[in-house]
Amino acid sequence: MTNPNVITLIAPLSGPLVPLERVPDPVFAQKMVGDGISIDPLDQCLRAPCDGQIVQLHSAGHAVTVATSQGIEVLMHIGLDTVNLKGQGFSSTVKMGDVVKTGDPLIEFDADYVATHAKSLLTQIVITNSDRVAAFAPRSGNVAAGKSAILELTLTGAAQANTDADAGKTVTSEAILIPNPTGLHARPAAVLANLAKKFKADVRLQKGDQVANAKSVVSIMGLEIGNGDKVTLIAKGDDADAAVETLTPLLWEGLGDEGCKPAPAPASFEPSPGNAPAPRARSEDPNLLIGVAASPGLAVGEVFQIRHQEIQVNESAAGTPQQERDRLDRAVDQGRAQLEALQASLHGQRAADKAAIFAAHQELLDDPDLLDIAHSALAKGKSAEFAWHRAFSTHADRLASLRNELLAARANDLRDVGRRVLTLLTGVEPERQTPPTNAILVAEELSPSDTASLDRSRVRGFCTTLGGATSHVAILARSLDIPAVAGIEPRALELANGTPVVLDGGKGIVRLNPSPEEITRIRETQERMAARRKAELEVAHEPAITLDGHRMEVVGNIGGLAEAEQIAGLGGEGVGLLRSEFVFLERSSAPSEDEQFEIYKAIVEALGPDRPLIIRTLDVGGDKPLVYLPIPKEENPFLGERGLRIGLDRPEILRLQLRAILRAAAYGKVRVMFPMVGLLSELRDAKAMLEEERQRLNAAPIETGIMVEIPAAAIMAAQFAREVDFFSIGTNDLTQYTLAMDRGHPKLAPKVDGLNPSILRLIAWTVKAAHDEGKWVGVCGGIASDPQAVPLLIGLGVDELSVSLPTIPSIKAQIRTLWLHECQELAQRALALETAAEVRMATSASAP
Ligand code: PEP
Ligand code: MG
């Protein structure tokens, strides 16, 4: 007769058994999820280890729980860190609620894929309510799926009831945003359940209208809580207060999950070490401060320190929660109206790009999460000011801690909008400081609102200790033509008002105490440069032909419509690179085919019928994440899923984009280009998709090229050249991959130089291979805009330079001063040199 208090689990997979303690994951090894055993699988179908019912099935398909008739929950977790695979490689054959028999198939998986994409294939079988088990008797050795016993469980007897839970008060936490990159998957769920179990109170976790027992891993996982999801803790019982107080900050911090950006304590602007900015260069010269170039130009003037006044707020409400909510709603409405007025006036000044920044601010005001956090604080008796301050500063701090510089830069926008509404709520206007004429502003951070309203008759330039070249402030500074340096050394904040300085926005430096002679020299240089820019712009529409008659195409790199509209005026002969990932960067959902088509069509039309447009398909991953296209966390994102690899892996995204491009091609000269191509098979697969979509749409064929930015593509250029219409060399990535140096690494930055002879050799090789096949080659990486590189690229035989927009007139002017044969001799000399520094010396020495 079988003993109902003993359960024998049968192997769900074939393979050697591994003690749970040996699993290389502390949460399983330390039995935080529960006690059990692990199998190193030799087959690819996970089977039921006992009779029971499916009570949890993760949407990523890598984990399933079967509950026995005695209520024992057996969780099976295939592989380690497999939640990151987001379902790829798994296919479940059961659904929630199904009744299963021992040996029934539950999940089929592609062992090769999982083994190569996850940390390990080891599959854990654990009892998540191990407190119901008095003794575990694991087996060892090799087991056969559906046949061999793996674990014998002796049950404790009666189910445990939480007697204290029914009594006592109910305490609810504030809304908590989950910072864990992959949400509350098995590991953080186990940590939370273990922590919750330390309290007698009944603890529940609520997401939307679903509620889970926070002491049950299975129940928590059943909520499928993702990154950024909003949850609330509800505790009932004598120690409910303590449970909510203890667990809330731990949830905000990510429950110790790796890769989690802890959300700093709300309502605090103190930077935590976790979100400290990347280390920046420091100068040893007391008269030199180093930052990053944010907006080019030289400015001479005197320091004027700008400080943001912190508006003090009372924590507790004077009125009822409803009254406070009404006050907040009114202030938000007023803020919205102010932003609308600001946009209208900027549109009136034909400054659509600046208006767009404030349109984005208006959208921030409508963010439901922001308002939810504020509302949940109001419900707890906080004042409207306090609740709003907490909501926007929490969100802003979280954004600021992201590694993605573009998203981190949005933190400043959020604080700007936040302060606008806070001013309206408190009636406290920040004191306006009037700078002297010739002012160089120094601040920790300037908001976009501050920047847009700078008095150009007084302010010559500015520098901030925070922020980067991609912030809206930097964008505004460039469009206002104000020289600016971001990320300057913090000692800038200690400079006395009136200190004479020279700010070089192009080099990203500030020089202190220049001599009167230096100031005169700079002013003269400025006048000369302004005159030169004017002259270059006047002839910018003329072609760029060397003194001996060799024509170079000079086109621009753009990120959207606003820049496309500037191309013709600057003398650009087309677009050599539309970074399509930038067009939709700030969207939270994927653009539809029609939306993409409309924007590409608008860009084509802005360029006119004669200027070609090269649209590069989405190049996300690495340093360019897209909010609506989450990519599993990877050890080496630059070497992982990025560029075309993502498009091939998720063909529906690539196909949709290709259709939009093919449709837009009917309106002008459109070419398509694939990023991050390393293998011929990748190119062939992408081209096959393009052709299938073209036939489906009955569209005309379209010129097709690739970015040459992976060394393999350059080395195999002869093979690739037969299958493309053109190459565009992405020297930013080609340099990073050839030198194996991260292009954004603060310490390595000076060495990541595209003029390194190794890169020049790859360019020479690529050009020769393309020309042998009658194909043309462009360069769209940063060196195409570098005057020292231009003669070399011409000499190496490059046909087209795709440069940053402001440099189009000057690069064209430079080409008109060069002799092709001299460029060719210089290129040959450079190829024989040993270092980038030597190449730079050689090219400077040969400058006319
Ligand atoms: C490059 O890698 O040189 C390039 C132009 O592409 P991106 O900078 O967008 O990666
Ligand atoms: Mg690139």
Side-chain angles (χ1 to χ4, degrees):
M1 233 185 76
T2 51
N3 179 348
N5 271 341
V6 174
I7 299 175
T8 303
L9 298 183
I10 303 301
L13 289 159
S14 302
L17 290 172
V18 177
L20 206 55
E21 297 82 349
R22 295 233 317 264
V23 172
D25 181 315
V27 172
F28 285 114
Q30 291 164 20
K31 305 188 176 169
M32 292 170 85
V33 185
D35 205 345
I37 195 157
S38 181
I39 298 181
D40 199 358
L42 297 174
D43 47 13
Q44 312 195 56
C45 175
L46 183 87
R47 295 176 180 277
C50 53
D51 294 352
Q53 193 174 20
I54 306 296
V55 292
Q56 177 266 338
L57 180 62
H58 199 285
S59 63
H62 68 293
V64 60
T65 303
V66 178
T68 69
S69 56
Q70 298 93 328
I72 295 300
E73 291 169 349
V74 187
L75 164 75
M76 281 156 290
H77 191 284
I78 304 172
L80 294 176
D81 284 351
T82 32
V83 65
N84 293 333
L85 303 184
K86 301 220 154 55
Q88 187 81 23
F90 298 99
S91 133
S92 56
T93 50
V94 287
K95 54 182 185 330
M96 279 288 287
D98 278 1
V99 173
V100 292
K101 289 262 167 236
T102 311
D104 280 356
L106 305 179
I107 297 175
E108 280 168 4
F109 57 99
D110 177 345
D112 278 347
Y113 181 83
V114 178
T116 50
H117 289 76
K119 190 167 151 191
S120 162
L121 246 186
L122 277 178
T123 296
Q124 290 56 248
I125 302 102
V126 290
I127 312 305
T128 55
N129 48 355
S130 290
D131 45 345
R132 300 262 328 265
V133 180
F136 287 82
R139 302 286 166 88
S140 59
N142 278 311
V143 290
K147 298 198 180 85
S148 328
I150 55 165
L151 186 62
E152 205 167 73
L153 311 171
T154 309
L155 308 191
T156 51
Q160 289 190 345
N162 201 332
T163 43
D164 275 28
D166 292 339
K169 57 180 171 181
T170 302
V171 179
T172 308
S173 75
E174 67 202 25
I176 304 162
L177 296 179
I178 295 300
N180 307 55
T182 39
L184 293 194
H185 59 97
R187 188 184 310 136
V191 174
L192 176 61
N194 274 290
L195 290 165
K197 281 182 198 155
K198 296 196 166 56
F199 298 93
K200 286 190 187 143
D202 175 74
V203 187
R204 305 267 147 182
L205 193 64
Q206 183 169 14
K207 178 188 135 188
D209 52 9
Q210 290 172 281
V211 180
N213 181 351
K215 295 181 181 178
S216 153
V217 182
V218 174
S219 181
I220 299 169
M221 291 201 329
L223 288 183
E224 305 238 338
I225 296 169
N227 173 255
D229 278 357
K230 201 166 8 103
V231 298
T232 318
L233 280 168
I234 305 162
K236 187 165 188 244
D238 285 347
D239 56 358
D241 270 329
V244 169
E245 243 166 61
T246 311
L247 299 176
T248 301
L250 296 171
L251 272 162
W252 272 112
E253 282 159 18
L255 298 160
D257 214 357
E258 224 176 274
C260 223
K261 303 288 179 292
S268 152
F269 287 119
E270 282 295 302
S272 72
N275 53 24
R280 305 256 200 210
R282 294 282 174 267
S283 130
E284 282 170 15
D285 176 347
N287 277 327
L288 178 68
L289 299 178
I290 302 178
V292 291
S295 174
L298 268 182
V300 188
E302 52 188 63
V303 165
F304 184 71
Q305 298 280 357
I306 296 273
R307 295 283 175 269
H308 262 297
Q309 257 180 298
E310 255 333 314
I311 299 177
Q312 298 304 321
V313 296
N314 279 335
E315 183 166 342
S316 19
T320 64
Q322 188 54 47
Q323 284 166 334
E324 295 296 302
R325 188 170 169 150
D326 290 345
R327 284 183 54 225
L328 178 59
D329 289 350
R330 264 198 310 279
V332 169
D333 282 347
Q334 279 172 299
R336 214 178 272 123
Q338 280 186 354
L339 288 167
E340 247 163 49
L342 191 56
Q343 284 170 67
S345 108
L346 288 166
H347 274 297
Q349 297 162 33
R350 306 192 61 75
D353 46 348
K354 283 172 238 155
I357 291 174
F358 295 102
H361 280 200
Q362 213 177 326
E363 249 176 60
L364 288 174
L365 272 187
D366 293 328
D367 186 293
D369 267 353
L370 192 65
L371 291 174
D372 271 1
I373 297 186
H375 291 162
S376 91
L378 290 178
K380 297 184 141 317
K382 309 291 182 198
S383 69
E385 297 80 341
F386 180 87
W388 176 249
H389 186 273
R390 162 176 285 203
F392 83 76
S393 54
T394 304
H395 255 293
D397 288 347
R398 288 196 63 213
L399 280 174
S401 69
L402 297 179
R403 262 201 72 193
N404 174 1
E405 219 186 290
L406 277 160
L407 293 180
R410 298 295 89 88
N412 189 25
D413 292 277
L414 191 49
R415 290 198 187 104
D416 191 13
V417 185
R419 285 198 206 103
R420 181 181 291 279
V421 173
L422 204 55
T423 300
L424 289 163
L425 268 172
T426 55
V428 179
E429 272 286 347
E431 202 184 306
R432 284 251 163 250
Q433 296 153 288
T434 311
T437 49
N438 285 342
I440 305 283
L441 305 186
V442 181
E444 216 173 11
E445 197 163 46
L446 285 180
S447 68
S449 302
D450 298 332
T451 314
S453 57
L454 284 181
D455 180 349
R456 287 295 280 120
S457 66
R458 293 173 173 274
V459 177
R460 297 278 169 262
F462 68 81
C463 59
T464 57
T465 55
L466 299 177
T470 50
S471 67
H472 273 154
V473 169
I475 293 168
L476 277 170
R478 287 195 287 269
S479 76
L480 293 164
D481 209 12
I482 301 180
V485 174
I488 193 84
E489 298 177 41
R491 66 189 163 101
L493 297 173
E494 289 151 26
L495 297 175
N497 278 349
T499 309
V501 290
V502 176
L503 179 145
D504 187 336
K507 291 202 183 121
I509 55 169
V510 173
R511 293 200 69 80
L512 312 183
N513 305 314
S515 63
E517 298 76 44
E518 194 179 346
I519 294 180
T520 316
R521 214 174 43 243
I522 290 167
R523 293 229 160 99
E524 284 168 5
T525 311
Q526 277 180 323
E527 279 158 25
R528 261 203 321 277
M529 273 167 52
R532 195 165 92 186
R533 263 208 306 275
K534 192 160 163 272
E536 286 169 353
L537 195 60
E538 272 162 17
V539 292
H541 55 279
E542 289 174 15
I545 302 176
T546 62
L547 294 166
D548 41 358
H550 176 71
R551 174 157 186 181
M552 287 294 290
E553 293 283 324
V554 180
V555 293
N557 290 348
I558 64 169
L561 179 59
E563 286 175 308
E565 283 167 348
Q566 296 173 38
I567 287 274
L570 291 166
E573 293 163 313
V575 168
L577 169 64
L578 165 63
R579 289 182 162 102
S580 67
E581 60 281 3
F582 284 163
V583 180
F584 303 107
L585 196 65
E586 295 195 9
R587 286 184 52 127
S588 52
S589 60
S592 67
E593 180 186 323
D594 281 348
E595 283 173 296
Q596 294 201 41
F597 160 68
E598 288 298 342
I599 186 97
Y600 300 147
K601 175 169 166 265
I603 293 175
V604 175
E605 286 174 345
L607 294 178
D610 300 325
R611 290 188 190 85
L613 163 68
I614 299 183
I615 306 182
R616 180 174 74 183
T617 60
L618 273 190
D619 182 17
V620 288
D623 61 340
K624 289 185 277 196
L626 257 194
V627 178
Y628 63 80
L629 196 68
I631 296 163
K633 184 177 158 279
E634 296 179 314
E635 284 285 318
N636 291 302
F638 277 113
L639 301 181
E641 278 205 275
R642 65 165 290 202
L644 183 60
R645 294 171 195 165
I646 293 186
L648 295 177
D649 190 49
R650 305 184 204 187
E652 66 292 353
I653 294 173
L654 182 56
R655 283 180 186 273
L656 186 137
Q657 185 174 29
L658 291 174
R659 282 199 298 275
I661 295 172
L662 285 162
R663 284 170 59 197
Y667 295 82
K669 275 195 193 167
V670 175
R671 298 169 180 152
V672 66
M673 173 158 77
F674 298 114
M676 292 293 296
V677 178
L679 306 173
L680 279 156
S681 61
E682 292 168 341
L683 171 63
R684 288 176 189 154
D685 289 348
K687 279 179 65 180
M689 270 188 217
L690 177 67
E691 181 55 17
E692 276 166 29
E693 295 307 325
R694 187 189 73 78
Q695 289 188 9
R696 217 169 277 165
L697 290 168
N698 205 11
I702 176 170
E703 282 184 39
T704 307
I706 58 166
M707 296 279 296
V708 175
E709 52 185 345
I710 295 182
I715 294 164
M716 297 288 282
Q719 285 74 8
F720 278 104
R722 289 184 211 126
E723 306 193 22
V724 296
D725 296 307
F726 63 90
F727 286 149
S728 185
I729 306 179
T731 47
N732 307 337
D733 277 314
L734 189 60
T735 309
Q736 120 164 309
Y737 292 122
T738 304
L739 299 177
M741 290 182 186
D742 182 341
R743 62 195 255 185
H745 196 291
K747 268 204 202 144
L748 299 176
K751 293 187 185 157
V752 190
D753 189 337
L755 292 198
N756 187 295
S758 60
I759 319 299
L760 300 183
R761 282 168 181 251
L762 287 176
I763 297 175
W765 181 257
T766 305
V767 170
K768 176 166 182 333
H771 287 178
D772 284 352
E773 288 293 328
K775 310 292 165 65
W776 61 269
V777 183
V779 170
C780 62
I783 64 169
S785 315
D786 177 345
Q788 285 189 325
V790 169
L792 283 165
L793 297 175
I794 297 175
L796 289 170
V798 168
D799 304 284
E800 180 203 81
L801 298 177
S802 191
V803 304
S804 71
L805 295 201
T807 62
I808 293 176
S810 61
I811 298 286
K812 286 182 99 175
Q814 183 188 5
I815 293 168
R816 294 187 199 111
T817 66
L818 300 172
W819 293 93
L820 173 64
H821 69 91
E822 282 183 2
C823 293
Q824 287 167 336
E825 284 157 21
L826 171 68
Q828 288 314 308
R829 277 204 308 282
L831 286 173
L833 295 174
E834 292 177 357
T835 65
E838 285 172 8
V839 173
R840 287 201 177 271
M841 279 217 316
T843 167
S844 315
S846 70

